[in-house]
């Protein structure tokens, strides 16, 4: 359950897992400490990597030396066997015992164990140090990195069941629903089961389930600006042309392409030109239509649109939450160690005392309109987080600071003085 506690702290007011960076002036006192924490993390990871590289280097050296010794011993034994075999084939008598004694003497001179002893000892030393370094660097007790928050177990169970169904693990989802006694959570099974049947059918070039779904959701797909339905008919046309010939493909085009002529005339004309290359489409200028990448991309697009129509993210919310929590956990653990050393308590704080930097994959924001300029944020004019916790667009900050990154200016919402150079960009 620690992941839910961590994410509740990282995303305190956003059930759809949106990143919210809100800092009060007092938290800025800890920013320098946060920088040092991140530096320490990087240094410790670098130390661990160096220790791991030493272990692998010693292991390769020990393995190489062992192989060399084994090959030398094998050669000596083969030579001895060869001499014994030659003696048996010839009329001259040979003392087998002398051959074996000579072999024993040679092996003793080579002293294989003494040659192996050195590399093996170095490997054992490196292996004994590595676990100790890991134990020192990683704190197995992660409980101090989250707050004790009361959760609605019913909601959590539904999230877990939905995750299993969305990942296609229907048997596991059913088992969890039964054991958790959450029959309402099974309502998501049927839609996701239909989605997987569609995608599975496409793997075997069966477009009937997908076409049926697209036809039934024609209006909704159009509202979303999706042309999945036409793409499915296009794939089916190419399949028919390949397997049934020109006449059947032309008949199919007349039956289904007409409603799409106004928006997809150029593509339809391209498909009609393919009729001239029937039975040799793979050597035509339109051979790329046969690429399997079209099927793969369309399957992904169908999955996304299917989830949109369900009101669901195409990525499992639980999976995203766990991934974000795991990424933020090291910083939180280091923070707790620092604050424990300073005898400070963060459990009672309303917000995190330091920012948790996550990858762009975990940064979700709606459209932002600057309260000063009334302009909608864009890539050229992104929203910026002030050190006081309020947000303005970059151009507004530039005007307020008179294009001086170190010149203090008052936040329009509070009397706090901030500097443009301390502002952080938020991602739409």
């Amino acid at each position: 359950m620690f992941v839910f506690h961590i994410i509740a702290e990282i995303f305190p007011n956003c059930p759809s897992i949106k990143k919210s960076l809100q800092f009060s002036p007092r938290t800025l006192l800890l920013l320098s400490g946060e920088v040092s924490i991140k530096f320490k993390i990087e240094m410790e990871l670098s130390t661990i990597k160096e220790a791991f590289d030493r272990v692998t280097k010693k292991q390769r050296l020990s393995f190489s030396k062992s192989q060399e010794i084994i090959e030398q011993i094998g050669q000596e034994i083969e030579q001895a066997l060869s001499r014994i075999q030659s003696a048996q084939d010839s009329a001259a008598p040979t003392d087998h015992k002398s051959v074996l004694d000579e072999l024993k003497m040679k092996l003793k001179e080579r002293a294989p164990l003494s040659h192996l002893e050195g590399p093996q000892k170095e490997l054992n030393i490196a292996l004994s140090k590595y676990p100790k370094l890991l134990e020192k660097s990683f704190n197995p007790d992660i409980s101090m990195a989250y707050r004790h928050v009361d959760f609605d177990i019913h909601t959590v169970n539904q999230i877990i069941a939905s995750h299993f169904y969305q990942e296609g693990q229907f048997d596991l989802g059913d088992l969890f629903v039964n054991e958790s006694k959450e029959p309402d959570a099974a309502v998501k099974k049927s839609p996701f089961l239909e989605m997987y049947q569609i995608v599975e059918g496409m793997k075997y070039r069966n477009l009937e389930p997908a076409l049926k779904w697209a036809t039934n959701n024609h209006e909704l797909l159009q509202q979303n600006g999706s042309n999945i339905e036409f793409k499915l008919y296009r794939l089916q046309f190419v399949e028919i042309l390949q397997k049934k010939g020109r006449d059947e493909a032309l008949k199919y085009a007349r039956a289904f392409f007409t409603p799409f002529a106004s928006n997809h005339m150029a593509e339809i004309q391209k498909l009609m030109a393919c009729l001239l290359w029937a039975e040799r489409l793979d050597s035509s200028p339109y051979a790329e239509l046969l690429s399997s990448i079209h099927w793969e991309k369309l399957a992904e697009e169908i999955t996304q649109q299917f989830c949109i129509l369900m009101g669901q993210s195409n990525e499992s919310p639980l999976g995203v939450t766990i991934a974000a929590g795991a990424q933020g956990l090291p910083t939180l653990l280091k923070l707790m160690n620092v604050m424990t050393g300073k005898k400070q308590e963060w459990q009672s704080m309303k917000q995190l005392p330091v920012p948790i930097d996550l990858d762009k994959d975990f940064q979700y924001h709606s459209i932002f309109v600057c309260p000063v300029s009334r302009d909608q944020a864009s890539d050229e004019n992104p929203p910026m987080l002030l050190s006081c916790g309020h947000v303005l667009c970059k151009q507004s900050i530039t005007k307020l600071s008179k294009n001086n990154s170190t010149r203090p200016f008052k936040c329009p919402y509070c009397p706090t003085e901030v500097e443009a150079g301390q502002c952080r960009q938020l991602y739409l």
Side-chain angles (χ1 to χ4, degrees):
M1 295 296 291
F2 77 93
V3 173
F4 293 104
H5 291 283
I6 293 171
I7 299 306
E9 192 57 39
I10 297 175
F11 310 108
N13 300 310
C14 191
S16 60
I17 317 178
K18 294 183 178 182
K19 184 183 179 186
S20 176
L21 296 173
Q22 299 291 327
F23 311 109
S24 63
R26 62 182 290 192
T27 63
L28 294 176
L29 298 175
L30 292 172
L31 286 179
S32 59
E34 190 265 345
V35 172
S36 64
I37 289 171
K38 292 180 68 176
F39 178 74
K40 288 180 181 178
I41 292 174
E42 292 175 358
M43 288 296 293
E44 289 191 6
L45 290 178
S46 176
T47 303
I48 292 170
K49 184 180 183 304
E50 289 174 1
F52 179 79
D53 290 341
R54 284 196 295 272
V55 171
T56 55
K57 182 179 179 180
K58 299 295 184 185
Q59 190 275 335
R60 287 195 296 268
L61 179 61
S62 177
F63 176 78
S64 176
K65 193 64 178 177
S66 299
Q67 286 291 103
E68 180 184 344
I69 295 297
I70 291 172
E71 288 176 2
Q72 290 176 356
I73 293 174
Q75 289 175 1
E76 295 291 348
I77 293 174
E78 287 178 0
Q79 289 177 6
L81 289 174
S82 178
R83 289 176 60 188
I84 293 173
Q85 186 66 38
S86 299
Q88 290 177 346
D89 295 340
S90 64
T94 303
D95 187 0
H96 291 179
K97 186 176 182 302
S98 62
V99 175
L100 294 176
D101 288 341
E102 185 180 347
L103 173 62
K104 184 177 178 180
M105 185 64 68
K106 288 183 178 180
L107 294 179
K108 188 176 181 180
E109 289 174 356
R110 290 190 178 276
L113 293 179
S114 61
H115 289 293
L116 293 175
E117 199 173 90
Q120 188 63 41
K121 185 177 180 180
E122 292 179 1
L123 175 61
N124 290 339
I125 292 173
L127 283 172
S128 64
K129 290 182 177 179
Y130 187 62
K132 293 177 181 178
L133 179 62
L134 290 177
E135 186 176 347
K136 180 180 178 181
S137 301
F138 295 105
N139 186 352
D141 181 15
I142 62 174
S143 61
M144 63 180 182
Y146 64 78
R147 298 184 182 184
H148 297 285
V149 181
D150 292 330
F151 281 95
D152 181 357
I153 298 300
H154 171 70
T155 301
V156 173
N157 287 340
Q158 285 194 323
I159 291 172
I160 295 174
S162 179
H163 170 79
F164 289 141
Y165 291 139
Q166 187 166 357
E167 295 297 313
Q169 299 176 337
F170 298 104
D171 292 340
L172 189 56
D174 290 341
L175 182 62
F176 178 81
V177 167
N178 292 333
E179 291 185 352
S180 62
K181 298 180 181 179
E182 296 280 358
D184 294 342
V187 71
K188 297 285 182 65
K189 177 182 178 180
S190 180
F192 282 124
L193 184 61
E194 181 185 2
M195 183 184 77
Y196 273 93
Q197 288 173 344
I198 290 172
V199 174
E200 191 67 20
M202 292 185 68
K203 291 180 180 178
Y204 298 96
R205 301 298 175 102
N206 177 15
L207 291 174
E208 291 303 321
L211 284 167
K212 181 180 178 182
W213 169 79
T215 302
N216 292 338
N217 294 279
H218 174 78
E219 296 296 331
L220 293 174
L221 290 172
Q222 278 196 327
Q223 291 175 15
N224 290 341
S226 172
N227 59 349
I228 281 179
E229 192 175 3
F230 173 74
K231 289 180 179 178
L232 287 168
Y233 284 126
R234 182 178 63 188
L235 283 180
Q236 189 75 307
F237 171 84
V238 174
E239 281 291 292
I240 293 174
L241 181 61
Q242 281 288 94
K243 296 178 179 179
K244 298 183 180 180
R246 181 186 296 111
D247 293 341
E248 289 295 322
L250 183 59
K251 188 186 300 183
Y252 185 85
R254 287 171 175 169
F256 295 104
F257 284 169
T258 303
F260 303 97
S262 58
N263 295 326
H264 302 282
M265 179 55 72
E267 293 181 74
I268 293 174
Q269 289 175 341
K270 183 178 178 180
L271 293 172
M272 292 302 98
C274 292
L275 295 172
L276 301 174
W277 298 83
E279 299 180 0
R280 51 196 178 99
L281 190 60
D282 55 345
S283 59
S284 73
Y286 312 104
E288 61 89 18
L289 291 172
L290 300 175
S291 174
S292 60
I293 194 68
H294 296 296
W295 292 79
E296 296 169 6
K297 287 184 176 180
L298 189 54
E300 292 178 5
E301 189 176 346
I302 287 175
T303 300
Q304 292 175 354
Q305 286 297 324
F306 201 103
C307 291
I308 290 173
L309 297 186
M310 287 177 59
Q312 297 279 328
S313 168
N314 65 302
E315 294 182 347
S316 166
L318 179 61
V320 174
T321 300
I322 291 175
Q327 192 173 113
L329 183 59
T331 301
L332 287 173
L333 287 171
K334 288 296 180 181
L335 169 67
M336 296 311 103
N337 289 332
V338 171
M339 297 193 71
T340 301
K342 294 181 178 181
K343 297 182 180 180
Q344 293 178 329
E345 178 60 43
W346 78 288
Q347 295 287 341
S348 58
M349 294 181 180
K350 294 183 179 180
Q351 57 196 19
L352 284 172
V354 295
I356 304 296
D357 293 326
L358 301 178
D359 292 341
K360 289 185 178 181
D361 292 341
F362 303 114
Q363 296 172 353
Y364 304 91
H365 285 273
S366 302
I367 293 173
F368 175 77
V369 177
C370 179
V372 174
S373 65
R374 305 296 180 186
D375 293 331
Q376 182 175 315
S378 62
D379 292 340
E380 295 74 28
N381 187 26
M384 305 290 291
L385 178 70
L386 278 62
S387 56
C388 60
H390 294 112
V391 180
L392 302 176
C393 274
K394 186 176 182 179
Q395 292 177 1
S396 298
I397 293 174
T398 301
K399 291 179 181 178
L400 290 171
S401 64
K402 295 184 179 179
N403 202 24
N404 188 335
S405 61
T406 59
R407 183 180 183 275
F409 66 94
K410 284 189 176 181
C411 170
Y413 280 97
C414 65
T416 305
E417 286 195 344
V418 297
E419 295 180 5
Q422 295 177 343
C423 298
R424 297 164 58 90
Q425 181 176 338
L426 298 178
Y427 295 86
L428 295 173

